[in-house]
Amino acid sequence: LRGMDANKGLWKLPKGKNWKDTTQWEKYGVKKGFQLENILTISEDHKGRYWVGRTATGLALYDPSRDTFYNWLIKDNPKMGGVMSSSVDFKRNLWLGTTNGLKYLKMPDQLDGAFRMDSNLKTVGKQILGTSTVTVCKVYADTLLVIGNSKGVFLLDLGMYYANPSKTFIRSFTENTGNFLGKVNQNSIWEDDD
């Protein structure tokens, strides 16, 4: 998968095709309803749909079964925030690193253009993470969500979150905790096998 700029949308390379030959990529863009201009993050859910985001414009979903994009734009929902990072967890729910902090979406059974994203997104960990841009939001080892923003790196135990969402346990690695791992300002994180 590849997110393209200049309204080119989402590109997918079928198995066995040459990635260097752009004519072999399947392209899903403006003609399919894409409105984000470009893509900074891509996550595939359990139904084979692609969630894509951009900080300046919002969130979109490409549903291959309907061959169309659904868009939730900042201009229509300013509180939603732009999307910088995303990940799908073991319960098949979506986590978003946004310009307004960490957001969570319990995956609905039915989803189409009428779906109200603004009323279904939940802010998580605001008291610890604040509302700064979450540039990293990545599920690790199935039950751990790695979160990064300008304050530092954080770990959210997803098992504990689902057991009691009102008492979210987030481990902080910030200057204030004395366990500073650095600040995060891009939508990636390195993982070491050792």
Side-chain angles (χ1 to χ4, degrees), residues 33-47:
F34 180 72
Q35 295 180 33
L36 297 188
E37 296 176 28
N38 71 1
I39 296 171
L40 297 178
T41 183
I42 304 168
S43 291
E44 183 177 3
D45 70 18
H46 68 287
K47 293 185 177 184

Side-chain angles (χ1 to χ4, degrees), residues 17 26 36 59 68 71 84 86 96 104 121 123 126 130-131 137 152 161 169 175 179:
K17 299 294 182 178
E26 295 173 0
L36 297 188
L59 178 67
T68 194
N71 300 273
M84 179 74 169
S86 60
L96 300 171
Y104 162 79
L121 277 181
T123 300
K126 183 177 179 180
T131 57
C137 169
Y161 174 80
F169 177 77
E175 288 178 298
N179 299 316

Side-chain angles (χ1 to χ4, degrees), residues 54-125:
R54 180 173 186 233
T55 51
T57 43
L59 178 67
L61 170 70
Y62 177 70
D63 186 343
S65 69
R66 296 180 182 172
D67 195 27
T68 194
F69 273 96
Y70 300 107
N71 300 273
W72 296 276
L73 305 176
I74 294 173
K75 68 179 183 176
D76 302 323
N77 303 296
K79 291 182 182 177
M80 183 181 79
V83 179
M84 179 74 169
S85 56
S86 60
S87 202
V88 176
D89 70 20
F90 71 99
K91 290 216 177 229
R92 301 177 171 178
N93 296 314
L94 182 67
W95 292 87
L96 300 171
T98 76
T99 52
N100 292 336
L102 181 67
K103 306 286 183 179
Y104 162 79
L105 175 66
K106 181 172 175 42
M107 200 62 70
D109 292 328
Q110 296 295 320
L111 206 141
D112 58 27
F115 182 75
R116 294 291 313 261
M117 187 62 68
D118 56 341
S119 59
N120 284 282
L121 277 181
K122 179 180 176 186
T123 300
V124 176

Side-chain angles (χ1 to χ4, degrees), residues 107-165:
M107 200 62 70
D109 292 328
Q110 296 295 320
L111 206 141
D112 58 27
F115 182 75
R116 294 291 313 261
M117 187 62 68
D118 56 341
S119 59
N120 284 282
L121 277 181
K122 179 180 176 186
T123 300
V124 176
K126 183 177 179 180
Q127 68 282 6
I128 296 170
L129 301 170
T131 57
S132 69
T133 299
V134 172
T135 54
V136 169
C137 169
K138 176 73 176 153
V139 173
Y140 175 76
D142 293 332
T143 60
L144 198 59
L145 186 69
V146 180
I147 306 156
N149 67 11
S150 62
K151 290 182 170 183
V153 177
F154 306 84
L155 301 175
L156 170 62
D157 183 313
L158 293 170
M160 290 177 75
Y161 174 80
Y162 285 121
N164 190 353

